[in-house]
Amino acid sequence: MSKNFLTRGHARALNRHHKIAVAGVAALGAAAIGLSATPSDASTTTTSEAAPAARISYGTEPIEDVRGTITDQLAASGVKTELIAAKKQAAADAAAEKKAAAAAAKEKVQREREAGEAASRSGDRHWGGERGGAGERAEKPAPKSYSDNLDGWIRESLDIMDKRGIPGSYEGIHRNIIRESSGDPKAINLWDINAQNGIPSKGLLQVIPPTFAAYHVPGTSKNIYDPVANITAACNYAADRYGSMDNVYSAY
């Protein structure tokens, strides 16, 4: 009975070891199969611990010297394009404004010119004082007329002398004309010393040709026999030599 007990105990013990051995063999077999499936040049590391998870740290400091992304570059390019377009538009607007201002100024000048011309035409149709108003001008008086006789000749000469600053009076001129030519504008002296010298005295105030040419007054005839031209030139000569025709009482 004891022998059987030991045998059974031993059998039970062997059975436990056998199971452990079988398990070990099975594990080795599985490992062998795994190794045979792995390429000869590959290495496999087996660990019983899980690989630790990678840790990500987040910093609060700004990152410098990093180039912008494509989006940032496109955005910057768009802003630059908009700035260029805005400058072009501003220049165009300024040019248009300047052109409009020049056109307005030109139009204003044209209106003022037309208004002045209209006022001038209106003023020419009216005498001074007849109509008041800015821009209107008095009509110029008609040229003064003189009678074609001794009185008219003297008066016309006096008006010319007054404009030229030549002194003389109606009485002084008339007195000398009567003494020199008796009022004949075609009178000529053929007997005095001037005639003997070949330069006879001619006209209302008996002026010799050289004196007439030297004292001729612009605006009058160059014909020595013209009554107005003759009187005016003689009075101009008398004013230069005697101060005025009024101071002449004899041959001069």
Side-chain angles (χ1 to χ4, degrees):
M1 180 174 177
S2 300
K3 184 179 179 179
N4 294 334
F5 173 79
L6 290 172
T7 302
R8 289 193 298 265
H10 180 70
R12 288 195 297 267
L14 290 175
N15 288 336
R16 287 196 299 267
H17 288 292
H18 177 72
K19 291 180 180 178
I20 293 171
V22 172
V25 171
L28 290 175
I33 294 172
L35 288 174
S36 64
T38 302
S40 61
D41 61 344
S43 61
T44 302
T45 302
T46 305
T47 179
S48 61
E49 294 183 359
R55 293 186 179 181
I56 301 174
S57 62
Y58 297 91
T60 58
E61 294 297 327
I63 300 175
E64 298 180 356
D65 298 329
V66 179
R67 298 184 60 182
T69 62
I70 297 300
T71 303
D72 293 336
Q73 294 177 10
L74 291 175
S77 177
V79 170
K80 184 176 181 181
T81 302
E82 291 177 358
L83 290 176
I84 294 174
K87 288 182 179 180
K88 289 183 178 180
Q89 185 62 42
D93 293 342
E97 184 177 355
K98 185 177 181 181
K99 184 177 180 180
K106 183 177 180 181
E107 184 179 357
K108 181 180 179 182
V109 171
Q110 181 64 24
R111 288 199 304 268
E112 291 177 350
R113 182 185 296 113
E114 293 175 353
E117 292 175 353
S120 176
R121 289 192 297 269
S122 177
D124 288 342
R125 292 193 295 267
H126 300 279
W127 290 89
E130 183 176 344
R131 286 184 59 188
E136 292 186 349
R137 297 185 306 176
E139 183 179 348
K140 295 181 180 180
K144 188 176 180 179
S145 60
Y146 305 92
S147 58
D148 190 19
N149 54 32
L150 183 58
D151 178 74
W153 300 332
I154 295 175
R155 294 186 184 282
E156 185 174 355
S157 295
L158 284 171
D159 286 343
I160 296 172
M161 290 164 57
D162 182 62
K163 293 178 181 178
R164 298 286 180 173
I166 302 172
S169 66
Y170 183 97
E171 189 279 329
I173 296 173
H174 187 273
R175 170 169 46 83
N176 282 284
I177 288 175
I178 296 302
R179 186 188 72 252
E180 293 292 334
S181 66
S182 300
D184 180 7
K186 300 297 183 181
I188 182 172
N189 187 327
L190 297 176
W191 55 269
D192 66 3
I193 188 63
N194 292 321
Q196 293 175 17
N197 292 331
I199 48 173
S201 301
K202 300 177 181 180
L204 289 174
L205 284 171
Q206 292 294 283
V207 184
I208 61 175
T211 300
F212 177 81
Y215 288 92
H216 173 263
V217 177
T220 62
S221 173
K222 292 186 177 181
N223 182 358
I224 193 171
Y225 289 109
D226 181 86
V228 175
N230 188 280
I231 294 171
T232 309
C235 289
N236 193 24
Y237 164 74
D240 184 50
R241 185 167 184 180
Y242 304 101
S244 172
M245 183 61 76
D246 294 350
N247 300 328
V248 176
Y249 290 90
S250 61
Y252 63 104

